[in-house]
């Protein structure tokens, strides 16, 4: 009975549309590649371990014939020990290469404001709303419009406490701090409408701290920022 009761959870999860795994920007695609890559490596390890586990349980099970047999005393096995030391080290090294490369490349920075090339947007987080300021000073609350372009550069700052800027369809979460501005780049966003939210519990109305994200063509973006509110 117990097994049956978790079945609906699995069915529900299977039907879930997991936005993070269907990214709409090249930043998000790199991140989901890392998720799938580490998941793939781990799956190989899990399957190998479980096959060995099942095989050993079967092979060394109790049988009548083994009743009087006393197993040989063994002390260490250099080959085996080398294998289970070197293999995990190799696996971790393989995992480390893309992880370090992508993570360093994408990490939000606090000092590269001038160096990054792209469409700049100032993001101000506060309890419980988001204010987006475009290049020409246009300010909009809880609605973020960005162009389909090589890179959008977000300058994130909080007016009060720590929040977290998250548009699951485009990229991972970035903490937003009151005492330092972070610069975060999202590359090649694809046209569409997405959901954004605060991903750091920040008070009673935290759940309402959401915003809409629209990625539009470069021309439409130009028109949009020229428009009066
Ligand atoms: Cu918040």
């Amino acid at each position: 009975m117990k097994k049956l009761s978790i079945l609906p959870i699995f069915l529900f999860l299977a039907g879930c549309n997991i936005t993070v795994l269907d990214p709409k920007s090249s930043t998000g695609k790199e991140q989901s590649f890392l998720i799938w890559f580490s998941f793939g490596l781990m799956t190989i390890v899990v399957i190998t371990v479980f096959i060995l586990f099942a095989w050993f349980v079967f092979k060394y099970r109790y049988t009548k014939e083994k009743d009087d047999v006393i197993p040989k005393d063994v002390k260490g096995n250099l080959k085996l020990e080398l294998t289970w030391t070197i293999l995990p080290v190799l696996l971790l090294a393989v995992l480390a290469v893309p992880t370090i490369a992508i993570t360093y490349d994408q990490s939000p920075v606090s000092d590269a404001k001038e160096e990054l090339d792209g469409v700049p947007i100032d993001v101000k987080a506060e309890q419980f709303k988001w204010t987006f300021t475009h290049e020409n000073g246009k300010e909009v609350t809880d609605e973020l419009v960005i162009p389909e372009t090589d890179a959008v550069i977000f300058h994130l700052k909080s007016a009060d406490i720590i929040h977290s800027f998250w548009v699951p369809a485009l990229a991972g979460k970035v903490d937003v701090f009151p005492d330092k501005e972070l610069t975060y780049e999202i590359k090649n966003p694809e046209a569409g409408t997405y959901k954004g939210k605060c991903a750091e519990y920040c008070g009673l109305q935290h759940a309402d701290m959401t915003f809409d994200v629209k990625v539009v063509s470069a021309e439409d973006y130009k028109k949009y920022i020229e428009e009066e509110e």
Side-chain angles (χ1 to χ4, degrees), residues 22-168:
D22 181 25
K24 303 293 184 202
S25 76
S26 38
T27 303
K29 279 176 189 151
E30 286 177 2
Q31 292 170 355
S32 78
F33 162 75
L34 283 184
I35 296 174
W36 284 117
F37 186 62
S38 47
F39 181 74
L41 275 184
M42 285 185 289
T43 307
I44 295 173
V45 173
V46 167
I47 289 174
T48 314
V49 167
F50 272 81
I51 288 175
L52 288 174
F53 173 72
W55 177 35
F56 284 4
V57 165
F58 178 76
K59 184 172 174 187
Y60 297 107
R61 73 196 186 282
Y62 172 77
T63 55
K64 268 260 158 64
E65 300 85 70
K66 290 176 190 161
D67 227 2
D68 308 313
V69 182
I70 295 171
K72 201 171 67 176
D73 244 349
V74 247
K75 197 181 170 206
N77 181 320
L78 189 64
K79 250 191 224 162
L80 271 180
E81 281 169 24
L82 281 177
T83 311
W84 68 54
T85 306
I86 292 171
L87 263 183
V89 170
L90 281 180
L91 279 179
L92 287 179
V94 168
L95 191 59
V97 174
T99 305
I100 291 173
I102 292 174
T103 314
Y104 271 74
D105 183 49
Q106 290 196 355
S107 279
V109 284
S110 54
D111 49 8
K113 195 169 176 172
E114 269 77 37
E115 293 161 33
L116 291 171
D117 212 14
V119 176
I121 312 258
D122 279 335
V123 179
K124 187 174 82 182
E126 67 198 291
Q127 288 168 316
F128 296 95
K129 62 176 184 182
W130 297 90
T131 309
F132 303 103
T133 310
H134 296 269
E135 266 175 290
N136 61 349
K138 176 170 179 166
E139 247 184 51
V140 187
T141 302
D142 290 341
E143 189 192 53
L144 170 63
V145 176
I146 53 173
E148 283 181 283
T149 180
D150 294 346
V152 181
I153 316 291
F154 294 98
H155 301 294
L156 305 146
K157 185 99 199 248
S158 166
D160 38 45
I161 56 173
I162 299 178
H163 300 273
S164 180
F165 176 76
W166 192 27
V167 184

Side-chain angles (χ1 to χ4, degrees), residues 4-18:
L4 272 180
S5 62
I6 57 169
L7 192 65
I9 299 176
F10 278 114
L11 290 176
F12 170 71
L13 285 176
C16 255
N17 166 19
I18 302 174

Side-chain angles (χ1 to χ4, degrees), residues 137-206:
K138 176 170 179 166
E139 247 184 51
V140 187
T141 302
D142 290 341
E143 189 192 53
L144 170 63
V145 176
I146 53 173
E148 283 181 283
T149 180
D150 294 346
V152 181
I153 316 291
F154 294 98
H155 301 294
L156 305 146
K157 185 99 199 248
S158 166
D160 38 45
I161 56 173
I162 299 178
H163 300 273
S164 180
F165 176 76
W166 192 27
V167 184
L170 296 181
K173 305 166 183 175
V174 187
D175 275 354
V176 186
F177 301 103
D179 51 348
K180 78 172 167 193
E181 184 182 295
L182 286 185
T183 300
Y184 187 65
E185 183 181 29
I186 292 182
K187 287 183 194 152
N188 301 307
E190 291 167 22
T193 305
Y194 312 110
K195 287 276 166 212
K197 59 181 100 178
C198 176
E200 177 80 48
Y201 181 70
C202 59
L204 284 180
Q205 289 168 56
H206 160 73

